[in-house]
Amino acid sequence: MSVNPEPSVPAPRALPRIGDPAPPFTAETTFGTLKLEDFKGSWLVLFSHPADFTPVCTTEFLAFAEIHSELRALNCELMGLSIDSVFSHIAWVRNIEEKMGVKIDFPIIADLNKEVATLYGMINPGESKTETSRAVFVIDPQQVVRAIIYYPLTTGRNMHEILRLVKALQTTDAHGVATPANWQPGDKVILPPPRTVEAAAERVAQEGVECKDWYFCKKAL
Amino acid sequence: MPCIQPDGTLTLTAMFVLKSLGEGPLPPEEIARRLGEPVFKVRGSLREMMGAGLIEEAEGAYRLTELGRGKLK
């Protein structure tokens, strides 16, 4: 009996997920050609917006510019992306500076061929086939994807949440802890639950730790 | 951070980088510190300048080529 091989069908491209290496790319940006690897050693908030010269995106750029220096202080860079030309990006950031007095001091990828947007799954065809959704990828200094946020075209993102997310991830890395709902820097953090009966007994007896029960303990940093 | 204009002239940033490297080889982190710019921008610039044959890289540090040294004159 002969076995017919399956017709060759290109494997669907796997989108990056939390914990995956961030897909490498080389892109034309408002700061010249940049590679993802240029950001090695610092955190990166890579975000997409639907289009230049649109009102919600303009409010977002003003808000991103507002948190930019705070992100920088956290060793975190910012980079935008949309399916627009670099000339459109330049005209838009100049317009923002001229009309609103805010300098956009971070690079924006001109992803006309949708290469990076496709690589990162930033286009949701059910919503729009020609625009990127409001995606956010938080990438760590080792270039691993640590968090992903998607917002629809109609809803501007909350920059305080993006800032909080970066701070929470850095706190987790620095102290080996988790952060509870609505955590803010300075709040108590959550200890990882014990994984043995012995460790559970030790945890509830541990000093400086506030436990609701053995699996739910917080401490101040 | 583009360093070479379409007409082939160097930007002020590129000239600053060349002058800094005129003092000896430097890693991108030190160039970024001297420029007061983030490292990712400097890495992009160095790649462009390397492509133009102005500088070369050895063991993580960058140094001028003869062509780059000539631009300083």
Side-chain angles (χ1 to χ4, degrees), chain A residues 38-66:
Chain A
D38 292 337
F39 293 88
K40 257 184 198 165
S42 68
W43 290 75
L44 172 65
V45 171
L46 172 65
F47 70 94
S48 56
H49 67 279
D52 297 347
F53 293 103
T54 54
V56 178
C57 297
T58 303
T59 64
E60 286 195 323
F61 265 60
L62 291 170
F64 272 121
E66 213 172 288

PDB file of all heavy atoms in Angstrom, chain A residues 38-66:
ATOM      1  N   ASP A  38      18.300  45.796  18.998  1.00  0.00           N
ATOM      2  CA  ASP A  38      18.887  47.062  19.463  1.00  0.00           C
ATOM      3  C   ASP A  38      18.408  47.397  20.877  1.00  0.00           C
ATOM      4  O   ASP A  38      19.029  48.200  21.570  1.00  0.00           O
ATOM      5  CB  ASP A  38      18.510  48.206  18.512  1.00  0.00           C
ATOM      6  CG  ASP A  38      19.167  48.070  17.152  1.00  0.00           C
ATOM      7  OD1 ASP A  38      20.202  47.388  17.064  1.00  0.00           O
ATOM      8  OD2 ASP A  38      18.634  48.638  16.174  1.00  0.00           O
ATOM      9  N   PHE A  39      17.278  46.799  21.278  1.00  0.00           N
ATOM     10  CA  PHE A  39      16.689  47.113  22.588  1.00  0.00           C
ATOM     11  C   PHE A  39      17.140  46.132  23.678  1.00  0.00           C
ATOM     12  O   PHE A  39      16.680  46.241  24.808  1.00  0.00           O
ATOM     13  CB  PHE A  39      15.157  47.111  22.486  1.00  0.00           C
ATOM     14  CG  PHE A  39      14.636  48.232  21.627  1.00  0.00           C
ATOM     15  CD1 PHE A  39      14.502  48.075  20.262  1.00  0.00           C
ATOM     16  CD2 PHE A  39      14.311  49.460  22.179  1.00  0.00           C
ATOM     17  CE1 PHE A  39      14.045  49.108  19.451  1.00  0.00           C
ATOM     18  CE2 PHE A  39      13.847  50.500  21.390  1.00  0.00           C
ATOM     19  CZ  PHE A  39      13.707  50.321  20.017  1.00  0.00           C
ATOM     20  N   LYS A  40      17.999  45.178  23.313  1.00  0.00           N
ATOM     21  CA  LYS A  40      18.464  44.200  24.308  1.00  0.00           C
ATOM     22  C   LYS A  40      19.044  44.913  25.517  1.00  0.00           C
ATOM     23  O   LYS A  40      19.780  45.883  25.368  1.00  0.00           O
ATOM     24  CB  LYS A  40      19.543  43.295  23.694  1.00  0.00           C
ATOM     25  CG  LYS A  40      19.029  41.935  23.337  1.00  0.00           C
ATOM     26  CD  LYS A  40      20.132  41.030  22.834  1.00  0.00           C
ATOM     27  CE  LYS A  40      19.470  39.871  22.100  1.00  0.00           C
ATOM     28  NZ  LYS A  40      20.393  39.128  21.287  1.00  0.00           N
ATOM     29  N   GLY A  41      18.709  44.444  26.683  1.00  0.00           N
ATOM     30  CA  GLY A  41      19.235  45.056  27.907  1.00  0.00           C
ATOM     31  C   GLY A  41      18.287  46.075  28.512  1.00  0.00           C
ATOM     32  O   GLY A  41      18.497  46.520  29.634  1.00  0.00           O
ATOM     33  N   SER A  42      17.246  46.443  27.766  1.00  0.00           N
ATOM     34  CA  SER A  42      16.236  47.321  28.377  1.00  0.00           C
ATOM     35  C   SER A  42      14.847  46.725  28.104  1.00  0.00           C
ATOM     36  O   SER A  42      14.669  45.923  27.187  1.00  0.00           O
ATOM     37  CB  SER A  42      16.333  48.749  27.841  1.00  0.00           C
ATOM     38  OG  SER A  42      15.962  48.806  26.501  1.00  0.00           O
ATOM     39  N   TRP A  43      13.894  47.098  28.929  1.00  0.00           N
ATOM     40  CA  TRP A  43      12.510  46.694  28.685  1.00  0.00           C
ATOM     41  C   TRP A  43      12.007  47.487  27.482  1.00  0.00           C
ATOM     42  O   TRP A  43      12.527  48.575  27.178  1.00  0.00           O
ATOM     43  CB  TRP A  43      11.649  46.994  29.912  1.00  0.00           C
ATOM     44  CG  TRP A  43      11.951  46.114  31.081  1.00  0.00           C
ATOM     45  CD1 TRP A  43      13.035  46.195  31.897  1.00  0.00           C
ATOM     46  CD2 TRP A  43      11.174  45.009  31.541  1.00  0.00           C
ATOM     47  NE1 TRP A  43      12.975  45.209  32.851  1.00  0.00           N
ATOM     48  CE2 TRP A  43      11.851  44.472  32.660  1.00  0.00           C
ATOM     49  CE3 TRP A  43       9.967  44.434  31.132  1.00  0.00           C
ATOM     50  CZ2 TRP A  43      11.358  43.375  33.379  1.00  0.00           C
ATOM     51  CZ3 TRP A  43       9.479  43.342  31.840  1.00  0.00           C
ATOM     52  CH2 TRP A  43      10.170  42.812  32.946  1.00  0.00           C
ATOM     53  N   LEU A  44      10.999  46.945  26.821  1.00  0.00           N
ATOM     54  CA  LEU A  44      10.422  47.640  25.671  1.00  0.00           C
ATOM     55  C   LEU A  44       8.904  47.487  25.692  1.00  0.00           C
ATOM     56  O   LEU A  44       8.395  46.371  25.832  1.00  0.00           O
ATOM     57  CB  LEU A  44      10.984  47.051  24.365  1.00  0.00           C
ATOM     58  CG  LEU A  44      10.326  47.540  23.065  1.00  0.00           C
ATOM     59  CD1 LEU A  44      10.579  49.029  22.841  1.00  0.00           C
ATOM     60  CD2 LEU A  44      10.847  46.735  21.866  1.00  0.00           C
ATOM     61  N   VAL A  45       8.214  48.608  25.580  1.00  0.00           N
ATOM     62  CA  VAL A  45       6.771  48.579  25.341  1.00  0.00           C
ATOM     63  C   VAL A  45       6.585  48.840  23.849  1.00  0.00           C
ATOM     64  O   VAL A  45       6.816  49.948  23.370  1.00  0.00           O
ATOM     65  CB  VAL A  45       6.029  49.641  26.189  1.00  0.00           C
ATOM     66  CG1 VAL A  45       4.569  49.744  25.751  1.00  0.00           C
ATOM     67  CG2 VAL A  45       6.107  49.287  27.676  1.00  0.00           C
ATOM     68  N   LEU A  46       6.259  47.767  23.121  1.00  0.00           N
ATOM     69  CA  LEU A  46       6.025  47.860  21.676  1.00  0.00           C
ATOM     70  C   LEU A  46       4.514  47.924  21.470  1.00  0.00           C
ATOM     71  O   LEU A  46       3.808  46.992  21.862  1.00  0.00           O
ATOM     72  CB  LEU A  46       6.611  46.628  20.985  1.00  0.00           C
ATOM     73  CG  LEU A  46       6.288  46.456  19.494  1.00  0.00           C
ATOM     74  CD1 LEU A  46       6.895  47.566  18.654  1.00  0.00           C
ATOM     75  CD2 LEU A  46       6.796  45.096  19.000  1.00  0.00           C
ATOM     76  N   PHE A  47       4.034  49.010  20.901  1.00  0.00           N
ATOM     77  CA  PHE A  47       2.581  49.141  20.761  1.00  0.00           C
ATOM     78  C   PHE A  47       2.192  49.515  19.330  1.00  0.00           C
ATOM     79  O   PHE A  47       2.978  50.122  18.607  1.00  0.00           O
ATOM     80  CB  PHE A  47       2.030  50.179  21.745  1.00  0.00           C
ATOM     81  CG  PHE A  47       2.406  51.599  21.433  1.00  0.00           C
ATOM     82  CD1 PHE A  47       1.555  52.410  20.690  1.00  0.00           C
ATOM     83  CD2 PHE A  47       3.611  52.138  21.859  1.00  0.00           C
ATOM     84  CE1 PHE A  47       1.888  53.726  20.386  1.00  0.00           C
ATOM     85  CE2 PHE A  47       3.956  53.455  21.553  1.00  0.00           C
ATOM     86  CZ  PHE A  47       3.097  54.248  20.824  1.00  0.00           C
ATOM     87  N   SER A  48       1.001  49.116  18.949  1.00  0.00           N
ATOM     88  CA  SER A  48       0.499  49.497  17.631  1.00  0.00           C
ATOM     89  C   SER A  48      -0.691  50.430  17.807  1.00  0.00           C
ATOM     90  O   SER A  48      -1.382  50.392  18.827  1.00  0.00           O
ATOM     91  CB  SER A  48       0.081  48.265  16.833  1.00  0.00           C
ATOM     92  OG  SER A  48      -0.882  47.510  17.539  1.00  0.00           O
ATOM     93  N   HIS A  49      -0.905  51.276  16.811  1.00  0.00           N
ATOM     94  CA  HIS A  49      -2.088  52.136  16.792  1.00  0.00           C
ATOM     95  C   HIS A  49      -2.698  52.036  15.402  1.00  0.00           C
ATOM     96  O   HIS A  49      -2.005  51.699  14.434  1.00  0.00           O
ATOM     97  CB  HIS A  49      -1.724  53.576  17.159  1.00  0.00           C
ATOM     98  CG  HIS A  49      -0.858  54.272  16.169  1.00  0.00           C
ATOM     99  ND1 HIS A  49       0.517  54.102  16.121  1.00  0.00           N
ATOM    100  CD2 HIS A  49      -1.148  55.120  15.157  1.00  0.00           C
ATOM    101  CE1 HIS A  49       1.013  54.838  15.146  1.00  0.00           C
ATOM    102  NE2 HIS A  49       0.024  55.464  14.537  1.00  0.00           N
ATOM    103  N   PRO A  50      -3.982  52.289  15.270  1.00  0.00           N
ATOM    104  CA  PRO A  50      -4.642  52.069  13.977  1.00  0.00           C
ATOM    105  C   PRO A  50      -4.125  52.951  12.840  1.00  0.00           C
ATOM    106  O   PRO A  50      -3.871  52.447  11.747  1.00  0.00           O
ATOM    107  CB  PRO A  50      -6.113  52.358  14.265  1.00  0.00           C
ATOM    108  CG  PRO A  50      -6.256  52.084  15.733  1.00  0.00           C
ATOM    109  CD  PRO A  50      -4.959  52.513  16.348  1.00  0.00           C
ATOM    110  N   ALA A  51      -3.968  54.240  13.072  1.00  0.00           N
ATOM    111  CA  ALA A  51      -3.539  55.102  11.964  1.00  0.00           C
ATOM    112  C   ALA A  51      -3.103  56.465  12.479  1.00  0.00           C
ATOM    113  O   ALA A  51      -3.596  56.941  13.508  1.00  0.00           O
ATOM    114  CB  ALA A  51      -4.679  55.292  10.959  1.00  0.00           C
ATOM    115  N   ASP A  52      -2.191  57.087  11.735  1.00  0.00           N
ATOM    116  CA  ASP A  52      -1.770  58.460  12.042  1.00  0.00           C
ATOM    117  C   ASP A  52      -2.938  59.420  11.781  1.00  0.00           C
ATOM    118  O   ASP A  52      -3.859  59.094  11.026  1.00  0.00           O
ATOM    119  CB  ASP A  52      -0.601  58.866  11.146  1.00  0.00           C
ATOM    120  CG  ASP A  52       0.641  58.002  11.372  1.00  0.00           C
ATOM    121  OD1 ASP A  52       0.679  57.265  12.364  1.00  0.00           O
ATOM    122  OD2 ASP A  52       1.563  58.084  10.536  1.00  0.00           O
ATOM    123  N   PHE A  53      -2.869  60.574  12.334  1.00  0.00           N
ATOM    124  CA  PHE A  53      -3.868  61.635  12.106  1.00  0.00           C
ATOM    125  C   PHE A  53      -5.295  61.171  12.405  1.00  0.00           C
ATOM    126  O   PHE A  53      -6.227  61.452  11.643  1.00  0.00           O
ATOM    127  CB  PHE A  53      -3.777  62.167  10.659  1.00  0.00           C
ATOM    128  CG  PHE A  53      -2.504  62.900  10.375  1.00  0.00           C
ATOM    129  CD1 PHE A  53      -1.481  62.302   9.656  1.00  0.00           C
ATOM    130  CD2 PHE A  53      -2.303  64.203  10.846  1.00  0.00           C
ATOM    131  CE1 PHE A  53      -0.297  62.972   9.398  1.00  0.00           C
ATOM    132  CE2 PHE A  53      -1.110  64.876  10.589  1.00  0.00           C
ATOM    133  CZ  PHE A  53      -0.106  64.258   9.862  1.00  0.00           C
ATOM    134  N   THR A  54      -5.451  60.405  13.464  1.00  0.00           N
ATOM    135  CA  THR A  54      -6.799  60.018  13.905  1.00  0.00           C
ATOM    136  C   THR A  54      -6.919  60.451  15.368  1.00  0.00           C
ATOM    137  O   THR A  54      -5.912  60.468  16.096  1.00  0.00           O
ATOM    138  CB  THR A  54      -7.045  58.504  13.762  1.00  0.00           C
ATOM    139  OG1 THR A  54      -6.015  57.810  14.448  1.00  0.00           O
ATOM    140  CG2 THR A  54      -7.070  58.077  12.301  1.00  0.00           C
ATOM    141  N   PRO A  55      -8.121  60.789  15.818  1.00  0.00           N
ATOM    142  CA  PRO A  55      -8.230  61.454  17.130  1.00  0.00           C
ATOM    143  C   PRO A  55      -7.863  60.581  18.332  1.00  0.00           C
ATOM    144  O   PRO A  55      -7.138  61.035  19.219  1.00  0.00           O
ATOM    145  CB  PRO A  55      -9.696  61.904  17.181  1.00  0.00           C
ATOM    146  CG  PRO A  55     -10.404  61.111  16.137  1.00  0.00           C
ATOM    147  CD  PRO A  55      -9.399  60.771  15.090  1.00  0.00           C
ATOM    148  N   VAL A  56      -8.371  59.342  18.372  1.00  0.00           N
ATOM    149  CA  VAL A  56      -8.068  58.513  19.559  1.00  0.00           C
ATOM    150  C   VAL A  56      -6.564  58.250  19.635  1.00  0.00           C
ATOM    151  O   VAL A  56      -5.946  58.334  20.704  1.00  0.00           O
ATOM    152  CB  VAL A  56      -8.876  57.185  19.551  1.00  0.00           C
ATOM    153  CG1 VAL A  56      -8.506  56.329  20.754  1.00  0.00           C
ATOM    154  CG2 VAL A  56     -10.372  57.467  19.545  1.00  0.00           C
ATOM    155  N   CYS A  57      -5.962  57.953  18.472  1.00  0.00           N
ATOM    156  CA  CYS A  57      -4.506  57.691  18.443  1.00  0.00           C
ATOM    157  C   CYS A  57      -3.728  58.922  18.888  1.00  0.00           C
ATOM    158  O   CYS A  57      -2.698  58.804  19.559  1.00  0.00           O
ATOM    159  CB  CYS A  57      -4.067  57.275  17.045  1.00  0.00           C
ATOM    160  SG  CYS A  57      -4.834  55.747  16.506  1.00  0.00           S
ATOM    161  N   THR A  58      -4.207  60.086  18.521  1.00  0.00           N
ATOM    162  CA  THR A  58      -3.505  61.310  18.931  1.00  0.00           C
ATOM    163  C   THR A  58      -3.561  61.457  20.457  1.00  0.00           C
ATOM    164  O   THR A  58      -2.551  61.783  21.083  1.00  0.00           O
ATOM    165  CB  THR A  58      -4.111  62.542  18.234  1.00  0.00           C
ATOM    166  OG1 THR A  58      -4.050  62.327  16.819  1.00  0.00           O
ATOM    167  CG2 THR A  58      -3.351  63.807  18.577  1.00  0.00           C
ATOM    168  N   THR A  59      -4.724  61.159  21.043  1.00  0.00           N
ATOM    169  CA  THR A  59      -4.801  61.248  22.520  1.00  0.00           C
ATOM    170  C   THR A  59      -3.846  60.229  23.139  1.00  0.00           C
ATOM    171  O   THR A  59      -3.211  60.494  24.157  1.00  0.00           O
ATOM    172  CB  THR A  59      -6.232  60.993  23.056  1.00  0.00           C
ATOM    173  OG1 THR A  59      -6.622  59.647  22.762  1.00  0.00           O
ATOM    174  CG2 THR A  59      -7.233  61.962  22.484  1.00  0.00           C
ATOM    175  N   GLU A  60      -3.740  59.068  22.497  1.00  0.00           N
ATOM    176  CA  GLU A  60      -2.840  58.038  23.048  1.00  0.00           C
ATOM    177  C   GLU A  60      -1.377  58.473  22.949  1.00  0.00           C
ATOM    178  O   GLU A  60      -0.598  58.259  23.878  1.00  0.00           O
ATOM    179  CB  GLU A  60      -3.030  56.725  22.296  1.00  0.00           C
ATOM    180  CG  GLU A  60      -4.312  56.004  22.654  1.00  0.00           C
ATOM    181  CD  GLU A  60      -4.302  54.562  22.179  1.00  0.00           C
ATOM    182  OE1 GLU A  60      -3.760  54.289  21.096  1.00  0.00           O
ATOM    183  OE2 GLU A  60      -4.825  53.713  22.902  1.00  0.00           O
ATOM    184  N   PHE A  61      -1.018  59.085  21.816  1.00  0.00           N
ATOM    185  CA  PHE A  61       0.373  59.516  21.676  1.00  0.00           C
ATOM    186  C   PHE A  61       0.721  60.600  22.691  1.00  0.00           C
ATOM    187  O   PHE A  61       1.817  60.616  23.246  1.00  0.00           O
ATOM    188  CB  PHE A  61       0.663  59.957  20.236  1.00  0.00           C
ATOM    189  CG  PHE A  61       1.261  58.851  19.420  1.00  0.00           C
ATOM    190  CD1 PHE A  61       0.551  57.673  19.233  1.00  0.00           C
ATOM    191  CD2 PHE A  61       2.535  58.944  18.891  1.00  0.00           C
ATOM    192  CE1 PHE A  61       1.108  56.611  18.525  1.00  0.00           C
ATOM    193  CE2 PHE A  61       3.103  57.887  18.178  1.00  0.00           C
ATOM    194  CZ  PHE A  61       2.379  56.732  17.990  1.00  0.00           C
ATOM    195  N   LEU A  62      -0.230  61.487  22.926  1.00  0.00           N
ATOM    196  CA  LEU A  62      -0.001  62.513  23.957  1.00  0.00           C
ATOM    197  C   LEU A  62       0.196  61.838  25.312  1.00  0.00           C
ATOM    198  O   LEU A  62       1.068  62.211  26.102  1.00  0.00           O
ATOM    199  CB  LEU A  62      -1.198  63.467  24.017  1.00  0.00           C
ATOM    200  CG  LEU A  62      -1.380  64.378  22.794  1.00  0.00           C
ATOM    201  CD1 LEU A  62      -2.723  65.087  22.846  1.00  0.00           C
ATOM    202  CD2 LEU A  62      -0.243  65.394  22.705  1.00  0.00           C
ATOM    203  N   ALA A  63      -0.612  60.812  25.574  1.00  0.00           N
ATOM    204  CA  ALA A  63      -0.533  60.117  26.863  1.00  0.00           C
ATOM    205  C   ALA A  63       0.732  59.255  26.959  1.00  0.00           C
ATOM    206  O   ALA A  63       1.352  59.164  28.019  1.00  0.00           O
ATOM    207  CB  ALA A  63      -1.794  59.266  27.065  1.00  0.00           C
ATOM    208  N   PHE A  64       1.128  58.616  25.851  1.00  0.00           N
ATOM    209  CA  PHE A  64       2.383  57.851  25.864  1.00  0.00           C
ATOM    210  C   PHE A  64       3.561  58.798  26.129  1.00  0.00           C
ATOM    211  O   PHE A  64       4.479  58.471  26.877  1.00  0.00           O
ATOM    212  CB  PHE A  64       2.590  57.104  24.538  1.00  0.00           C
ATOM    213  CG  PHE A  64       1.969  55.729  24.486  1.00  0.00           C
ATOM    214  CD1 PHE A  64       1.026  55.410  23.526  1.00  0.00           C
ATOM    215  CD2 PHE A  64       2.336  54.733  25.387  1.00  0.00           C
ATOM    216  CE1 PHE A  64       0.453  54.144  23.460  1.00  0.00           C
ATOM    217  CE2 PHE A  64       1.774  53.466  25.339  1.00  0.00           C
ATOM    218  CZ  PHE A  64       0.825  53.168  24.365  1.00  0.00           C
ATOM    219  N   ALA A  65       3.516  59.967  25.484  1.00  0.00           N
ATOM    220  CA  ALA A  65       4.604  60.941  25.681  1.00  0.00           C
ATOM    221  C   ALA A  65       4.672  61.358  27.156  1.00  0.00           C
ATOM    222  O   ALA A  65       5.761  61.587  27.697  1.00  0.00           O
ATOM    223  CB  ALA A  65       4.392  62.154  24.791  1.00  0.00           C
ATOM    224  N   GLU A  66       3.510  61.406  27.789  1.00  0.00           N
ATOM    225  CA  GLU A  66       3.455  61.822  29.194  1.00  0.00           C
ATOM    226  C   GLU A  66       4.133  60.802  30.120  1.00  0.00           C
ATOM    227  O   GLU A  66       4.749  61.178  31.111  1.00  0.00           O
ATOM    228  CB  GLU A  66       1.981  61.973  29.588  1.00  0.00           C
ATOM    229  CG  GLU A  66       1.711  63.063  30.594  1.00  0.00           C
ATOM    230  CD  GLU A  66       0.211  63.260  30.769  1.00  0.00           C
ATOM    231  OE1 GLU A  66      -0.420  63.791  29.839  1.00  0.00           O
ATOM    232  OE2 GLU A  66      -0.316  62.861  31.819  1.00  0.00           O
TER     233      GLU A  66
END
